[in-house]
Structure formats: structure tokens, C-alpha cells
Amino acid sequence: MTNPLLDTLALPHFGDIRPDQIAPALDQAIADHRAIVARIVETRPTRFAEAWMPLERADTVIAGIWSAVSHLHGVADTPELRAAYAAGEVRLVENQLQVMQNAALYEVLVALTGTAEFAGLPDADRAAVEHRVRDFRLSGVALAPEDRARFATLSVELSQLSTTFGNAVLDATDAWFEHVEDEAVRAGLSDADKAMFAEAARAKGLAGWVVTLQMPSVNAVLTFAEDRGLRQRVYTASGTRASDQGPHAGQFDNSARIAEILTRRREAARLLGFADPVEWSLATKMAPNADEVIAFLRDLAARAKPAAQAEIMALADYAAGHLGIADLQPWDVGYVAEQMRQARYAIDEQQVRAHFPVERVVAGWQRLLDRLFGIRLIARPDVAVYHPHACYYDVADEAGTVFAGVYVDLHARPGKRGGAWMAQARPRLNDGNVSRVPVAYLVCNFAPKTEGTPSLLSHKEVVTFLHETGHCLHHLFTRVDRPNIAGTNGFEWDAIELPSQLMEDFAWNREVLRDMSGHYETGAPLPDALFDTLVAARHFLSGTFIVRQIEFALFDLLLHLGTLGSDPMEVIEAVRDEVAVVRPPSWHRFPHAFTHIFAGGYASGYYSYLWAEVLAADGFRRFAEAGAVDRATAAKFRDEVLSRGASRPAAESFRAFRGRDADPQAMLARHGLVRQ
């Protein structure tokens, strides 16, 4: 096979993939896909094996090609790859719409669901077809021809706009840096942070330091830098990325893209018969309607805002009384919070980091997975990767049988988008003579090691690592052989964070955290006293964190509802009038880099983090009741939630695990808003 992208049954051949191979691979896969659709439409089969399986196989080939391409676009972007990705994405959306708006194919699948054979199929087989039939309707298959064509046009345009929105954020992130040579500016920063900045300077051929907008750099400055001017400059550059404000005002501006995205989403929703994009989004989620979601958020705000207001008042008093900052500003909040946290709880964040070199964290992570689920991660240095930071593991059970695989890529670098995420590399397949294990990507953006300095993680970053692990386990543990509903695929989006947020809580278990630690100089595990202070400080600024999440979620919903207009800055300011306790300056442009809703999957769904946390908090209580690291509870969670995918509704899977519906009090207790 001359084009490595077409070998979708194997692991991606990252060492051989070139941008100029993307279009030819799609040419072949799309042609094959269309031929299969034509054959199904012509023959009108009524059995699952002939009506569904050929379509699923063709879908899986295209998904395998695009998984490798989109992953490279996210972690190793180049101008050539970006151009090939953008062109390929348009072709994929066009092909998907051509299939999903094919009324004859839709009729074949609808007829299949009415057969006697279908009624006797396994739950997963029936759910796979039923999900696809629903998605046909949500893709406009029942529209009049002119409306169907218009919906297809809108879908392509939305895909292009989302890609260019994300590219603008990445470009704006990479474009800004500050060259620092004044020793006084470095006060408060750790040796590891200084080494990170020195390495960034060397990469640019400069002496001294370079501060960037990569998240490890931004977090270091805003949390530890004593120089208030540096904090303000970094805050300003980060908070105005891809906008009409800030040091690169207008250069990467996403303002017009936001307006165009909203206009097209609203038109597409109306074409499908929905009142607005929120109603359209909720058609595939747990939440019944926008009113209930907004009521949930506002009730949570009423509980959290008084605590948040008290927290910010305490920060302002501390800043004025101990740090000489009479007018607490947003760029001061992280720094003052860290100073106050140290004073109140005797926590030194740098001391905490010293106990979490990434190698120790990864080793403890592997032991945790073994203890919980009886699995082992076996390094495979022979597997091709796309960057030296990345590695690959086979995932094996206690008998040594490999049942999954995972790529792990933990460090920030230019050309890699920010944040942390999990994505599917390969689905589970059991189809005749074809058998393949599921494979995931686990990606973070931790500070890389530098010459003489290891990569040290904050406790928050350990939490993030476990969060993404939960998403990975959801994919890796699937026992569903239908890829469109296996793992995270098809799972209700407002429940998708259940496994990830549940896994976070293991970072608050003494035994687990000690086993993931080891001082980078002495190897000593995290001391009990330091763990106790972390737990004591767990709810420090918890109210502020929650109202910030509510701010994001309400902004997303109200912007897409359109009840406050279409200007994102007017909407965000109105939301802040209602819930915010930290008010950014008027020039701040949060919406312009809000990739979750404009370049990701969270449009009209950012509330999902808080909605799913209700499930996760109560789900972890079952682990806590059994002693936390409990194999039987983990097996129950694996069997009833992780392995089932979307073969049944998420609410049913949760009830099968917990024995009842979720108790909302658990989520409030998780944040210290009510007593446990």
C-alpha cells in the first residue's frame, strides 16, 4: 500500500504520513464510500448484515484516515498540513452530508428497524442503527430539496469557520512573546519556570528569557511572578488573543467569524424545525430543554456566588494588607491567591511541584490503573510517533492479553494547540476476520523538561492528567462492536464528562497521590503534612471557580438563544452582571479564543461540565464508600458505564452502576458548598 493513510486497520504510520497524501487517500475512501451507498440504495437489503455493515465499514475507513490527519493538525501543525487539513475537512463534510441527506438510504435503514430480525438483534446493533436514523433527521434528510441544499451549504461553511477560528487562536498564541533580560522581572518564579523561559529563549536564538502564551508559561507568570507589570502584559496578551484588541489587534481577529458562525447555526437550526441552536443541540443530550439547564445554572449560581464574593473580598483585603496592592485587578488574582493560599494553608506550590516529576506521576498512574482495573501499560518504542514527546503503550489485562492501546503526549510546544484532550485513534472492531483493539490519544500541555530541570507538575495538572485518563478509559474499555456508539461516540454530551470528572477525585486520595509522587531530588513521596494542607485548601476559591464555569455556560447558552442579542461582548457583559465576581476590563476578549464553543464540540453545551459533575461526584461516592481504590467498584463502573458506550442511555448506565439516580448534593459537597 503506497499511501500510509489508507492502512486504517494498522496503527497510524506517523513516520510516513505527508500532507500531500491526504487528498489522494480521501479520494479513494470517499469513492468507495459512495459506491457502497449506491449499492445499498440499489439493492434495498432488509437484513442487518447487508444494510448496515457495509456502511459501517466504509465509515470506519474514512474515520481512520481523518483521525490521523486531525491529530497531526492538533499536535504537529505546519502550514502545509493546515492547508491540506482545511481542504480535506470540506470534502468530508460534503460527503457526510451527501450520505446523511440521501432519502433512499434513510428509507433502507428505517425499513430495517421495522423487521423481525432487527427486533431480535443485540442492543448495541439496534442502538447503532437507531442513532444513525436520528442523525439522518438532524442532517436534514426530510427537508425540501432547496432547504436540504441550503442546510448542506451551511454545514460546510460552519466547518470551515470553526477550523479558521481555531487556527487564528493557535496563530495568535504562537505570535506573541516577551523577551526578558532584566533579573528583577524574574522574582517569584521557580528554577523550573526560569529554565522553561530560558529554553524558550534558546529556541528563538535569544539570550535571557522568553515568556510565551503557551499555558505553562502563562500560568507560571500569573501565579508566581512578583512583577505586576509582567503579569498585566501576559494577561492582556492572553485575554485579547485573536481579537480586535491587544498587542496583535486585528491581525488574527475572530470577531467576524463569531458573527458568521452564529448566523449560520441559527439558520441551520430553523431549517430543521428548531427554535434556536440550543434546542437543536439538546436533541441529542440528557437535558430536556434550555429552561431546565438555565434554571440549574442559576440555582447553582445562587448557592456559589455568596461564597465567591466573600472569597474575592478576602483576596482584596489580603492584597491590600500584605502585598501593597490596593486595587486588586484580574491579573493579580492568581498571584494574590497563591500568596494567600501559602499564608493560610502553608502550601508552597513550588514545593508541591517538586514532588511530581512527570516520570513519577506516569509510573504512579500506571499502578493506579492496575490496582483499579487490573490493566498494565506496556511501552512500545517500536511504534511510530509524530514527536519525541509522544509515546505508545499497549494496554493489557492480567492475563497479558492486549485489548487496547494509547498514545500519550504530555508537553506543550509550538504548533500544538493548547489544553488537554482525548481523541479516538482507532475504534474497536470485531467484524468477520477483522479484529482490532481500540486505541486512544491522551494529550496534555505540561511544561517540558529543560537542560538540568525535570518536568514538574502542579497538583492541578495531576488532576488534569487523571481527567483525560477517564475519557481514555471510556474509549479503551468499550465492549461495543459498533464504532458509531462505542466508547465516547454517541454518548450524550452532557454526560460525557462523567468518567473524566470521576477519575479526578483519585487525585485527592492520600494513598494514590503519594504513589504518584517522588521528590525530583530525593525521591521522597509527598509528605502526609503536605497532602493534608492540599486537602485543607481544596475548596479555596471554590465558589469563584464555580461562578466562572457558570459564566462560561450561561454565555454559551444565552448567545446561542439570541435573547440578549448577537454581540458576544454585550452578552458576556450581561452574564457577568448576573454572576461574575471577577470583572475583566472592557478590552478583554474572552469569546474570541473560546474554542470549546466556536471550534470544538461544546456549542450550546458548555453547561455539560457542570451537568455531568452531578453524576461524577455521586459516582465517586460509591468508590469512597468502598475505600476509594476498590477493584469491585471499578469493575462495576467498567461493566455498567465505560464498556457500554451509547448502546443505552447514559442515565440508565449510571443507575445500573449507582443503583439510583444521582444525588445533586454530592456535587455541592465536592465544592464545599454543603457539608458531606
Side-chain angles (χ1 to χ4, degrees):
M1 186 173 296
T2 57
N3 192 323
L5 284 167
L6 290 170
D7 188 12
T8 57
L9 291 179
L11 293 171
H13 301 282
F14 284 121
D16 301 322
I17 295 172
R18 303 189 312 270
D20 63 1
Q21 296 165 329
I22 296 171
L26 291 178
D27 285 343
Q28 181 170 330
I30 289 173
D32 292 345
H33 195 269
R34 290 180 177 177
I36 287 168
V37 170
R39 186 161 59 249
I40 293 172
V41 168
E42 180 183 358
T43 59
R44 300 272 173 159
T46 58
R47 294 183 60 81
F48 182 81
E50 291 82 32
W52 175 260
M53 290 305 300
L55 186 62
E56 179 178 279
R57 293 177 191 124
D59 289 342
T60 302
V61 170
I62 290 178
I65 293 169
W66 202 243
S67 171
V69 173
S70 59
H71 184 66
L72 288 173
H73 175 60
V75 298
D77 193 33
T78 66
E80 296 78 14
L81 176 60
R82 180 179 295 188
Y85 174 89
E89 187 175 46
V90 170
R91 296 188 61 204
L92 285 179
V93 173
E94 290 174 340
N95 181 67
Q96 179 73 356
L97 284 163
Q98 187 179 86
V99 172
M100 299 303 289
Q101 292 187 342
N102 187 318
L105 179 62
Y106 170 67
E107 289 166 3
V108 169
L109 294 181
V110 170
L112 173 63
T113 64
T115 63
E117 182 213 22
F118 187 82
L121 290 175
D123 290 347
D125 291 352
R126 286 186 285 106
V129 179
E130 289 164 352
H131 274 242
R132 181 61 61 87
V133 168
R134 178 201 66 189
D135 293 343
F136 266 93
R137 296 178 182 131
L138 294 176
S139 297
V141 72
L143 297 178
E146 61 274 16
D147 287 342
R148 193 162 61 239
R150 178 58 183 160
F151 184 87
T153 298
L154 290 169
S155 298
V156 172
E157 291 173 350
L158 280 167
S159 175
Q160 292 172 311
L161 286 164
S162 293
T163 297
T164 54
F165 184 100
N167 288 342
V169 175
L170 177 61
D171 289 343
T173 300
D174 287 345
W176 185 91
F177 69 92
E178 180 168 324
H179 184 209
V180 176
E181 294 186 285
D182 184 356
E183 184 68 34
V185 177
R186 311 179 189 193
L189 292 155
S190 69
D191 290 342
D193 293 333
K194 294 174 184 177
M196 174 177 64
F197 295 139
E199 184 65 30
R202 281 193 292 272
K204 293 183 178 295
L206 299 171
W209 286 6
V210 161
V211 176
T212 73
L213 294 185
Q214 299 292 334
M215 285 314 299
S217 176
V218 172
N219 288 337
V221 170
L222 295 184
T223 306
F224 302 112
E226 295 178 10
D227 189 296
R228 196 182 189 196
L230 178 63
R231 296 200 304 269
Q232 182 176 0
R233 293 191 297 277
V234 169
Y235 176 88
T236 302
S238 180
T240 56
R241 285 176 299 159
S243 78
D244 60 335
Q245 299 289 318
H248 287 102
Q251 188 173 347
F252 310 103
D253 191 2
N254 270 330
S255 299
R257 295 184 189 100
I258 293 174
E260 291 170 6
I261 287 169
L262 290 173
T263 298
R264 284 161 177 78
R265 283 177 179 168
R266 286 170 183 158
E267 184 181 352
R270 287 194 296 270
L271 282 172
L272 293 175
F274 296 107
D276 47 61
V278 177
E279 188 178 26
W280 181 19
S281 170
L282 294 183
T284 57
K285 294 182 171 65
M286 290 180 69
N289 54 63
D291 288 343
E292 185 158 332
V293 177
I294 291 173
F296 163 73
L297 293 172
R298 285 179 167 150
D299 176 70
L300 188 56
R303 297 169 184 269
K305 190 173 181 180
Q309 289 170 323
E311 291 164 359
I312 296 302
M313 288 180 62
L315 279 184
D317 290 344
Y318 187 86
H322 296 83
L323 302 174
I325 300 174
D327 57 331
L328 184 71
Q329 297 294 330
W331 50 86
D332 299 320
V333 169
Y335 173 74
V336 174
E338 178 59 24
Q339 298 301 309
M340 185 174 173
R341 192 169 77 120
Q342 288 185 31
R344 179 177 291 183
Y345 301 103
I347 291 181
D348 182 342
E349 181 62 30
Q350 306 299 354
Q351 184 184 6
V352 173
R353 284 178 176 270
H355 284 87
F356 293 110
V358 70
E359 296 81 5
R360 291 276 188 166
V361 172
V362 170
W365 167 72
Q366 294 183 18
R367 289 189 291 270
L368 174 63
L369 295 179
D370 186 10
R371 293 176 62 203
L372 277 174
F373 301 106
I375 63 174
R376 292 174 175 81
L377 276 68
I378 304 164
R380 286 280 307 279
D382 59 307
V383 172
V385 291
Y386 46 85
H387 191 276
H389 287 171
C391 59
Y392 180 85
Y393 296 95
D394 280 335
V395 185
D397 61 20
E398 289 178 299
T401 302
V402 174
F403 68 89
V406 60
Y407 292 88
V408 178
D409 180 0
L410 299 181
H411 300 294
R413 56 183 178 268
K416 180 181 179 182
R417 68 180 174 92
W421 68 92
M422 166 269 172
Q424 174 182 293
R426 293 288 186 257
R428 170 186 164 109
L429 283 182
N430 281 296
D431 178 12
N433 294 326
V434 175
S435 180
R436 188 180 64 202
V437 301
V439 179
Y441 300 115
L442 193 165
V443 184
C444 296
N445 268 280
F446 305 145
K449 66 180 179 181
T450 59
E451 187 176 343
T453 306
S455 172
L456 303 176
L457 307 191
S458 67
H459 180 254
K460 182 179 179 181
E461 288 172 326
V462 175
V463 171
T464 296
F465 186 37
L466 289 175
H467 178 103
E468 299 307 330
T469 297
H471 285 311
C472 282
L473 295 177
H474 202 172
H475 177 64
L476 302 179
F477 283 160
T478 189
R479 295 190 182 120
V480 176
D481 290 327
R482 306 278 73 85
N484 70 311
I485 59 162
T488 58
N489 292 334
F491 203 73
E492 292 98 320
W493 202 254
D494 45 6
I496 202 76
E497 301 295 334
L498 161 59
S500 56
Q501 292 185 127
L502 185 149
M503 286 298 298
E504 287 181 18
D505 278 359
F506 285 103
W508 295 99
N509 176 272
R510 184 189 305 272
E511 182 184 5
V512 169
L513 205 57
R514 279 177 59 87
D515 195 48
M516 295 180 76
S517 69
H519 195 283
Y520 77 97
E521 291 180 327
T522 67
L526 188 75
D528 284 342
L530 194 51
F531 174 81
D532 290 340
T533 59
L534 283 172
V535 172
R538 180 177 184 178
H539 299 135
F540 180 61
L541 299 188
S542 187
T544 303
F545 168 79
I546 292 177
V547 297
R548 185 74 165 140
Q549 290 297 107
I550 295 169
E551 178 184 320
F552 297 162
L554 278 176
F555 166 73
D556 170 37
L557 289 172
L558 295 175
L559 183 68
H560 284 100
L561 285 170
T563 52
L564 299 179
S566 297
D567 185 327
M569 293 312 303
E570 290 182 1
V571 175
I572 194 71
E573 291 300 336
V575 170
R576 287 169 178 162
D577 287 341
E578 181 179 353
V579 301
V581 294
V582 176
R583 197 66 178 253
S586 60
W587 45 257
H588 195 273
R589 291 294 185 267
F590 165 75
H592 293 67
F594 196 6
T595 53
H596 276 77
I597 70 167
F598 294 121
Y602 283 88
S604 300
Y606 194 84
Y607 76 90
S608 299
Y609 284 101
L610 292 169
W611 191 273
E613 191 177 356
V614 173
L615 304 174
D618 193 42
F620 187 77
R621 275 190 170 180
R622 171 155 186 175
F623 280 90
E625 290 160 0
V629 185
D630 180 70
R631 179 71 68 87
T633 306
K636 184 78 169 177
F637 187 58
R638 178 176 179 172
D639 290 343
E640 299 294 355
V641 178
L642 299 176
S643 72
R644 302 276 182 157
S647 63
R648 66 183 179 190
E652 289 184 20
S653 291
F654 182 85
R655 281 193 292 270
F657 166 63
R658 195 67 173 102
R660 54 169 172 74
D661 289 331
D663 178 4
Q665 291 293 105
M667 186 260 213
L668 298 174
R670 190 176 192 248
H671 290 284
L673 297 178
V674 298
R675 291 185 178 180
Q676 303 231 27

